[in-house]
Amino acid sequence: MTIKTPRLILRPWADRDAETLYKYAKDPAIGPIAGWPPHTSVENSLEIIRTVFASPETYAVTLRETGEPVGCCGIVSMPEEMAQGEAEIGYWIGVPHQGNGYITEAVNALADHCFNDLGLSALWISYADGNERSRRVAEKCGFTYQHTRHGEPTLLGDTRTVHYTSRHTVPKPS
């Protein structure tokens, strides 16, 4: 499955992407703000591709112009407070590509896919306190604040204050 936008192709991750993934995911400005550790090697990135990124509806955000994967966007979880037909979207993009609107474009395309093809009724985005870039992406994609939880655990072994936003599908006229 691929999702195309004017500037991007969202496609499944492949083993051949490990070196490029490592190039971006080793940067301490990427993972820790989202609650995951920087990648430690190309082999570590390959392991992530084969496990975490092998999940259904997880996409490499690639530039149409070059085919290079520069970030990730996908359905990351369905926490206990979500109703049937709801899911959470997660995303990140390499530092050199931040500020170009790529992740906003990818999240909007994934949201359209979730609502139109997967039949989901609501999507969530969560972001840790202080992650202003992620908050702005959620806002630009039409997600609205719902609640905040304190003491949410991360893969780094700490806890954070996390803000939750959601976006609901607009019912189609009958």
Side-chain angles (χ1 to χ4, degrees):
M1 170 76 191
T2 60
I3 301 170
K4 295 179 180 179
T5 73
R7 301 182 300 162
L8 307 170
I9 296 175
L10 280 60
R11 61 158 174 83
W13 285 90
D15 287 359
R16 71 180 181 277
D17 299 322
E19 196 169 313
T20 304
L21 173 58
Y22 176 62
K23 176 173 78 172
Y24 294 118
K26 71 180 178 182
D27 189 328
I30 299 296
I33 191 84
W36 48 268
H39 291 198
T40 56
S41 65
V42 173
E43 292 75 24
N44 177 222
S45 291
L46 179 59
E47 168 89 12
I48 297 297
I49 288 170
R50 291 179 173 173
T51 57
V52 178
F53 291 174
S55 298
E57 304 301 332
T58 300
Y59 299 94
V61 176
T62 63
L63 301 177
R64 268 188 186 247
E65 206 170 89
T66 64
E68 178 185 27
V70 297
C72 186
C73 184
I75 295 175
V76 293
S77 67
M78 296 185 187
E80 65 277 355
E81 70 267 6
M82 292 182 190
Q84 183 73 18
E86 298 184 3
E88 183 177 2
I89 291 178
Y91 47 86
W92 63 267
I93 190 158
V95 170
H97 302 284
Q98 291 178 354
N100 293 310
Y102 293 136
I103 282 298
T104 300
E105 190 173 318
V107 168
N108 276 324
L110 181 59
D112 288 347
H113 168 64
C114 287
F115 291 138
N116 298 325
D117 302 327
L118 302 181
L120 297 179
S121 59
L123 295 171
W124 294 80
I125 289 175
S126 64
Y127 56 90
D129 213 31
N131 190 343
E132 291 304 307
R133 288 186 178 275
S134 193
R135 180 187 63 78
R136 285 293 298 139
V137 168
E139 285 177 356
K140 289 178 187 177
C141 292
F143 286 72
T144 56
Y145 174 81
Q146 297 300 318
H147 63 275
T148 296
R149 289 178 128 179
H150 303 281
E152 292 285 293
T154 74
L155 296 174
L156 297 171
D158 63 355
T159 59
R160 305 213 175 147
T161 296
V162 177
H163 307 283
Y164 290 83
T165 62
S166 70
R167 176 174 155 189
H168 297 265
T169 186
V170 177
K172 294 181 178 159
S174 42

